[in-house]
């Protein structure tokens, strides 16, 4: 029967029956032979080929299955609608066997027939999306609108984005019905794509919202988390960004897809110490050399300058190799954008300008953000703020899109205080740390500059540059804008006839950028070392003080202090101090007060207070020469009441700096006129301090020093370490000689050291001694320490 040559209806019927019986009995060889014999029948060829192909495919012979369909192909082409099942099977077999062109031809016939299923549309789109993303997007979109499958819509949108057709992307989004939009917004992938579109359009808030919704739908998806971090960076939402980075389950660096965004996030928050792990991983992964540069910047902020420089050189070499091996114009342009700011930093001059010109030639309209920012970075590195300003005006029509770092650079260069203050008030968290400190200082926000410096210092305790800037902006104790701190100290002093140990605790906080509140508590424990001069001084002397400082602007400030002293008697006091720069080279300081302590001699130190008024003028004639004149008037009273006398001091000092930077060294000459005028009688409150035999004939003249004149010379080194904050441990000292008209020549010396223990603090130690101090030519010795935690 199989060999029967005639193609008669009877033969076909018998072959059909034989194939059916063989299929039921499992006789695959007979069934296969019968179907192959039937393929010669012109009418039934496509249907028989389909059955034979199914048999061959079931046997695992895909090649034979395709060959069976190929035999019937000419007879199926004339009637596609009549053989839809055949064409669908043929297309699928061609696709799975790698015959792309054959599969596409079959799929297009099905589509053109108007009878294509959703599966046909999807398979066709999958075959053409690499070569024709727009057509593939159209087919995915058609399948989405027929089936309601959100994943097809997301793929259509992805292909439109890849095609770079922004208008078509926005049109596609606008054409979705409310019901379709609701369905799509339940798909995390669609939300991710729409967030990307919102970012490109500058709709940052909408992008953040979509990224958050996508994250809620798929909370453990690393790609969604990466997008969320990027959108929070773009939104400049520092609290939300910090919360996201801190709470992430991948904060330990176990997800490579998050290394880049996490590094960028911590850098945006000015925390390179936390970014460094992710930068190291990202830079070491062999990807974009730009990450190597970011890694180098972070290392430099952490004080590792040599390693940072080596990495930049390495990145420069990698950029050169990348430009030679870039596969196409887009890739070469991307490499050029990275070369420009790197060239400005590493080589400068004509070589850097050539790199910029090559970039602008490759992208003449500077139409992309990356090209514009590369040019900005180049001109800022060359300190050409005029060109930067022109770029900002010409290339960034929307002020909100302008890079904050470039805006600040221009504002500082042009002394635009209003713009600087606006940037500090609106985007301070997103300005480079060093520039932010500089900006606050330039507009007179000294306290804010100090706060920025201390906050950044807490994150970068090893940054030499930051410490230098902090030293430049943290003034000494006399400043109305002295830094916030909490401190304690100990000082031991001995000069016959008194022994004294003083403990202090103090602190200062900023109530506003211009107002500071300070408090101090000091307790001295005293005893007499010579009862022939001093008898039974009060064992304890306690002083509490509250101080309010107000910053009037650059180089101007006021301080008001209220005090309560409890020693020989209870004595209230107040003091008002003002400091200001009257001219470029002239500074003025004035003080008035009542109930203030005095140390002119042991009796006054223990039992007196003074009312005072003083004026000091300091002039810096040149970089190395200076002079100071102080005029002071005092009225001395016993604690609890009783006039002792008056005092007037005129002191002139002139000096020359042999070296101005640390270890600074200066030579100083001084002359002083000290006059004391006792009041009639004696202050009875101080009589118990005198030996009993002397009390009957005592006068105020015995309680006051004698008037005299003095001249002296001193060699001072390390003064800046004493007066200004320093992280490194630095010694300081003074060696002086003094000639008193009454008592002759004496000497005194001080030696100490100051520095940081933990990075945000200051510890000072000193020891001093000599043959005389002040108007008392009696040997003395003193030592002490002081610790402050700065915040």
């Amino acid at each position: 029967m199989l060999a029967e040559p005639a193609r008669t209806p009877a033969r076909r019927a018998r072959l059909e029956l034989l194939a059916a019986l063989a299929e039921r009995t499992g006789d695959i060889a007979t069934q296969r032979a019968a179907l192959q014999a039937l393929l010669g029948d012109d009418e039934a060829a496509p249907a028989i080929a389909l059955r034979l192909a199914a048999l061959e495919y079931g046997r695992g012979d895909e090649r034979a299955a395709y060959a069976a369909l190929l035999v019937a192909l000419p007879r199926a082409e004339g009637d596609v609608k009549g053989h839809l099942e055949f064409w669908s099977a043929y297309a699928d077999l061609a696709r799975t066997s790698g015959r792309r062109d054959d599969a596409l031809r079959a799929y297009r016939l099905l589509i053109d027939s108007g009878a294509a299923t959703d599966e046909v549309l999807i398979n066709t789109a999958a075959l053409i999306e690499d070569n024709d993303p727009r057509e593939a997007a159209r087919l995915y979109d058609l399948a989405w609108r027929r089936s309601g499958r959100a994943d097809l819509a997301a793929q259509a949108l992805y292909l439109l984005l890849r095609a770079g057709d922004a208008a078509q992307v926005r049109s596609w989004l606008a054409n979705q019905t409310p019901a379709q939009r609701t369905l799509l917004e339940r798909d995390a992938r669609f939300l991710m794509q729409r967030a990307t579109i919102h970012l490109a359009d500058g709709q940052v808030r909408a992008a953040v919202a979509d990224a958050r919704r996508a994250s809620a739908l798929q909370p453990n998806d690393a790609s969604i988390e990466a997008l969320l971090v990027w959108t929070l960076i773009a939104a400049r939402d520092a609290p939300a960004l910090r919360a996201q980075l801190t709470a992430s389950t991948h904060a330990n660096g176990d997800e490579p897809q998050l290394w880049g965004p996490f590094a960028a996030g911590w850098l945006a928050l000015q925390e390179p110490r936390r970014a460094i792990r992710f930068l190291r991983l990202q830079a070491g992964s062999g990807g974009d050399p730009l990450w190597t540069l970011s890694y180098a910047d972070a290392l430099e902020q952490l004080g590792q300058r040599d390693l940072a420089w080596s990495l930049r050189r390495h990145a420069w070499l990698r950029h050169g190799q990348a430009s030679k091996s870039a596969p196409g114009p887009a890739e070469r342009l991307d490499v050029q954008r990275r070369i420009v700011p790197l060239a400005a930093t590493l080589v400068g001059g004509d070589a850097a300008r050539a790199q910029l010109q090559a970039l602008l030639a490759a992208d003449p309209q500077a139409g992309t953000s990356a090209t514009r920012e590369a040019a900005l970075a180049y001109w800022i590195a060359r300190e050409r703020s005029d060109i930067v300003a022109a770029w900002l005006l010409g290339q960034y029509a929307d002020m909100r899109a302008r890079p904050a770092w470039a805006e600040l650079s221009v504002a500082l260069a042009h002394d635009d205080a209003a713009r600087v203050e606006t940037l500090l008030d609106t985007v301070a968290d997103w300005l480079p740390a060093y520039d932010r400190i500089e900006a606050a200082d330039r507009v007179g926000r000294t306290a804010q500059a100090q706060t920025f410096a201390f906050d950044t210092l807490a994150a970068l305790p090893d940054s030499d540059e930051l410490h230098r800037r902090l030293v430049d902006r943290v003034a000494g104790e006399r400043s109305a804008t002295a830094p916030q701190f909490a401190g304690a100290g100990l000082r031991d002093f001995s000069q016959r006839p008194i022994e004294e140990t003083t403990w202090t605790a103090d602190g200062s906080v900023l109530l506003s950028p211009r107002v500071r509140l300070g408090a101090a508590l000091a307790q001295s424990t005293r005893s007499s070392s010579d009862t022939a001069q001093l008898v039974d001084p009060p064992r304890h002397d306690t002083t509490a003080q509250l101080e309010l400082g107000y910053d009037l602007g650059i180089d101007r400030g006021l301080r008001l202090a209220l005090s309560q002293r409890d020693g020989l008697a209870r004595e209230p006091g107040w003091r008002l101090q003002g400091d200001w720069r009257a001219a470029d080279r002239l500074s003025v300081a004035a003080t008035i007060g009542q109930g203030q302590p005095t140390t002119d001699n042991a009796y006054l130190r223990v039992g007196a207070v003074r009312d005072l008024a003083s004026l000091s003028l300091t002039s810096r004639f040149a970089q190395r020469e200076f002079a100071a004149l102080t005029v002071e008037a005092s009225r001395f009273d016993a604690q609890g009441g009783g006039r002792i006398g008056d005092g007037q001091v005129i002191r002139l000092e002139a000096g020359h700096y042999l070296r101005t930077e640390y270890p600074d060294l200066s030579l100083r000459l001084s002359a002083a006129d000290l006059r004391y005028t006792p009041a009639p009688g004696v202050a009875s409150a101080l009589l118990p301090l005198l030996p009993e035999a002397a009390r009957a004939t005592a006068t105020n003249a015995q309680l006051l020093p004698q008037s005299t004149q003095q001249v002296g010379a001193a060699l001072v080194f390390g003064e800046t370490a004493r007066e200004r904050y320093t992280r490194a441990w630095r010694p300081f000292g003074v060696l002086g000689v003094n000639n008193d008209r009454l008592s002759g020549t004496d000497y005194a010396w001080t030696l100490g050291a100051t520095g940081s223990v933990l990075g945000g603090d200051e510890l000072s130690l000193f020891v001093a001694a000599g043959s005389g101090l002040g108007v008392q030519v009696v040997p003395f010795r003193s030592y002490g320490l002081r610790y402050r935690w700065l915040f």
Side-chain angles (χ1 to χ4, degrees):
M1 178 173 56
L2 293 174
E4 184 178 346
R7 296 180 178 178
T8 63
R11 178 180 179 276
R12 287 198 300 274
R14 289 195 297 273
L15 288 174
E16 289 277 6
L17 179 61
L18 178 62
L21 290 173
E23 182 178 7
R24 291 181 183 179
T25 60
D27 187 351
I28 294 177
T30 301
Q31 180 188 5
R32 182 168 177 267
L35 291 174
Q36 286 176 337
L38 283 170
L39 270 179
D41 191 327
D42 292 343
E43 297 179 8
I48 296 300
L50 190 60
R51 291 172 60 190
L52 179 58
L55 175 66
E56 299 288 12
Y57 192 82
R59 293 174 57 242
D61 193 342
E62 189 173 301
R63 182 185 297 273
Y66 182 75
L69 294 177
L70 199 60
V71 172
L73 190 63
R75 277 164 279 184
E77 288 181 334
D79 183 12
V80 175
K81 287 188 176 180
H83 300 95
L84 293 177
E85 189 176 358
F86 171 88
W87 281 107
S88 180
Y90 174 79
D92 289 345
L93 268 177
R95 177 177 58 83
T96 58
S97 61
R99 297 174 174 85
R100 179 180 178 277
D101 292 341
D102 292 342
L104 273 179
R105 176 173 174 269
Y107 282 137
R108 291 193 184 282
L109 285 173
L110 289 169
I111 292 172
D112 293 342
S113 72
T117 63
D118 294 341
E119 186 178 2
V120 168
L121 296 174
I122 294 168
N123 289 339
T124 306
L127 287 174
I128 66 173
E129 61 183 33
D130 289 338
N131 299 323
D132 193 353
R134 285 185 174 84
E135 176 62 15
R138 186 187 71 82
L139 295 176
Y140 279 124
D141 180 59
L142 181 59
W144 140 246
R145 296 180 187 281
R146 287 167 49 169
S147 67
R149 286 174 51 186
D151 62 311
L152 300 178
Q155 185 64 12
L157 184 56
Y158 162 74
L159 291 171
L160 290 176
L161 287 169
R162 202 185 79 185
D165 193 339
Q168 184 63 27
V169 167
R170 287 155 185 76
S171 174
W172 187 90
L173 286 173
N175 289 333
Q176 304 303 311
T177 67
Q180 288 173 328
R181 193 172 294 111
T182 299
L183 182 62
L184 287 174
E185 287 174 350
R186 298 172 188 164
D187 184 82
R189 184 184 176 199
F190 168 79
L191 290 171
M192 287 180 64
Q193 292 167 341
R194 193 170 70 176
T196 304
I197 296 168
H198 286 324
L199 275 180
D201 288 346
Q203 301 176 29
V204 180
R205 292 184 181 276
V208 172
D210 277 350
R212 288 191 183 281
R213 294 175 69 178
S215 181
L217 290 171
Q218 294 185 17
N220 296 320
D221 190 299
S223 60
I224 295 177
E225 186 172 0
L227 175 65
L228 178 57
V229 171
W230 288 122
T231 58
L232 291 173
I233 292 173
R236 294 176 176 172
D237 189 343
L241 176 60
R242 186 180 300 278
Q244 177 65 34
L245 295 175
T246 304
S248 173
T249 57
H250 301 293
N252 60 353
D254 62 346
E255 176 51 65
Q257 195 170 353
L258 292 172
W259 292 345
F262 275 34
W266 285 120
L267 286 177
L269 292 172
Q270 312 293 336
E271 293 200 33
R273 184 172 295 279
R274 303 185 74 168
I276 202 76
R277 167 199 280 178
F278 302 104
L279 286 167
R280 182 172 58 250
L281 292 169
Q282 185 72 15
S285 65
D288 191 340
L290 184 62
W291 289 112
T292 304
L293 298 179
S294 298
Y295 184 27
D297 291 341
L299 286 171
E300 185 167 27
Q301 291 184 59
L302 294 173
Q304 302 182 42
R305 291 187 175 183
D306 292 341
L307 180 55
W309 178 258
S310 298
L311 283 173
R312 289 192 181 104
R313 292 295 302 177
H314 176 66
W316 172 259
L317 296 174
R318 286 186 61 190
H319 272 308
Q321 296 170 356
S323 63
K324 295 176 183 177
S325 60
E331 290 77 8
R332 284 193 293 274
L333 182 62
D334 188 58
V335 171
Q336 286 176 289
R337 292 187 187 116
R338 287 154 173 76
I339 286 178
V340 167
L342 189 58
T345 301
L346 289 179
V347 295
D350 294 337
R353 181 182 289 272
Q355 295 290 350
L356 176 63
Q357 291 173 341
L359 171 62
L360 296 179
D363 188 5
Q365 302 302 319
T368 62
S369 175
T371 297
R372 290 181 295 186
E373 293 209 19
L376 284 172
Y378 171 84
W379 289 118
I380 287 176
R382 297 294 300 275
E383 298 182 354
R384 292 300 304 273
S385 61
D386 52 340
I387 296 179
V388 175
W391 271 78
L392 289 174
L393 290 172
Q395 301 294 330
Y396 294 89
D398 185 351
M399 184 175 290
R400 295 170 299 177
R402 298 178 182 179
W405 54 271
E407 275 277 280
L408 181 61
S409 175
V410 172
L412 289 173
H414 293 277
D415 291 323
D416 187 349
R419 186 58 186 154
V420 170
E421 294 209 32
T422 298
L423 291 169
L424 288 173
D425 291 337
T426 57
V427 292
D429 288 340
W430 303 92
L431 298 173
Y434 298 156
D435 294 345
R436 180 174 57 181
I437 298 168
E438 175 71 20
D441 192 55
R442 288 276 290 276
V443 296
R445 299 186 181 185
T446 310
Q448 188 177 26
Q450 292 172 358
T451 300
F452 286 156
F454 279 115
D455 288 347
T456 311
L457 182 64
L460 305 174
D462 298 322
S463 172
D464 291 333
E465 172 66 13
L466 186 59
H467 278 278
R468 184 190 67 77
R469 290 173 182 255
L470 182 59
V471 164
D472 288 343
R473 285 158 182 83
V474 175
E477 296 292 333
R478 295 175 57 192
S479 170
T481 54
Q484 295 191 130
F485 70 91
L490 165 68
R491 184 174 185 270
D492 186 87
F493 175 78
S494 175
Q495 186 178 35
R496 186 179 294 180
I498 194 169
E499 300 276 354
E500 178 182 273
T501 301
T502 303
W503 291 90
T504 60
D506 57 354
S508 172
V509 295
L510 289 169
L511 302 181
S512 76
R514 293 186 180 274
V515 180
R516 179 179 64 85
L517 179 66
L521 179 66
Q523 183 176 72
S524 297
T525 302
R526 297 192 179 105
S527 62
S528 174
S529 60
D530 184 357
T531 56
Q533 297 183 59
L534 180 66
V535 177
D536 196 24
R539 178 67 175 167
H540 298 295
D541 191 331
T542 303
T543 300
Q545 179 174 287
L546 193 65
E547 182 177 275
L548 190 66
Y550 184 73
D551 179 17
L552 296 171
I554 299 176
D555 299 317
R556 291 182 295 168
L558 287 175
R559 294 200 302 172
L560 173 64
L562 304 177
S563 60
Q564 177 73 48
R565 181 177 179 184
D566 192 357
L568 190 66
R570 182 164 293 179
E571 192 74 35
W574 63 269
R575 183 183 69 253
L576 179 64
Q577 295 175 267
D579 299 89
W580 68 95
R581 178 174 292 179
D584 287 343
R585 297 185 180 275
L586 179 63
S587 297
V588 180
T591 302
I592 58 173
Q594 288 184 320
Q596 298 304 297
T598 177
T599 59
D600 293 61
N601 63 21
Y603 302 121
L604 300 180
R605 188 184 197 100
V606 172
V609 293
R610 66 172 177 160
D611 302 338
L612 79 152
S614 71
L615 180 67
S616 295
L617 306 176
T618 302
S619 177
R620 194 73 176 259
F621 299 122
Q623 183 179 7
R624 295 179 181 272
E625 286 74 36
F626 69 93
L629 173 66
T630 301
V631 179
E632 182 179 278
S634 302
R635 167 179 166 149
F636 300 99
D637 295 301
Q639 294 180 38
R643 178 81 178 277
I644 301 174
D646 300 310
Q648 297 84 36
V649 176
I650 300 176
R651 188 183 306 276
L652 178 64
E653 183 180 39
H656 172 76
Y657 279 97
L658 303 173
R659 176 184 171 88
T660 57
E661 297 295 329
Y662 185 88
D664 49 293
L665 183 65
S666 62
L667 179 63
R668 306 183 181 196
L669 303 176
S670 63
D673 181 74
L674 302 94
R675 296 184 182 275
Y676 296 91
T677 305
V682 64
S684 59
L686 299 189
L687 288 177
L689 301 177
L690 299 173
E692 187 172 353
R695 293 174 188 172
T697 59
T699 66
N700 282 328
Q702 294 174 258
L703 301 175
L704 285 174
Q706 289 181 289
S707 297
T708 188
Q709 289 79 43
Q710 296 177 338
V711 293
L715 189 65
V716 181
F717 78 91
E719 181 183 27
T720 55
R722 260 188 113 169
E723 295 183 349
R724 304 166 71 183
Y725 173 77
T726 173
R727 175 174 63 97
W729 276 92
R730 291 178 171 176
F732 58 83
V734 179
L735 175 61
V737 293
N738 190 62
N739 182 268
D740 187 286
R741 181 178 62 85
L742 299 177
S743 57
T745 301
D746 59 80
Y747 70 91
W749 59 267
T750 300
L751 185 63
T754 183
S756 173
V757 179
L758 302 174
D761 58 353
E762 181 184 47
L763 177 64
S764 296
L765 310 166
F766 80 91
V767 59
S771 61
L773 182 66
V775 293
Q776 302 178 78
V777 187
V778 179
F780 79 95
R781 55 127 184 104
S782 179
Y783 63 85
L785 62 85
R786 174 168 169 75
Y787 179 80
R788 296 193 305 166
W789 175 260
L790 308 173
F791 60 92

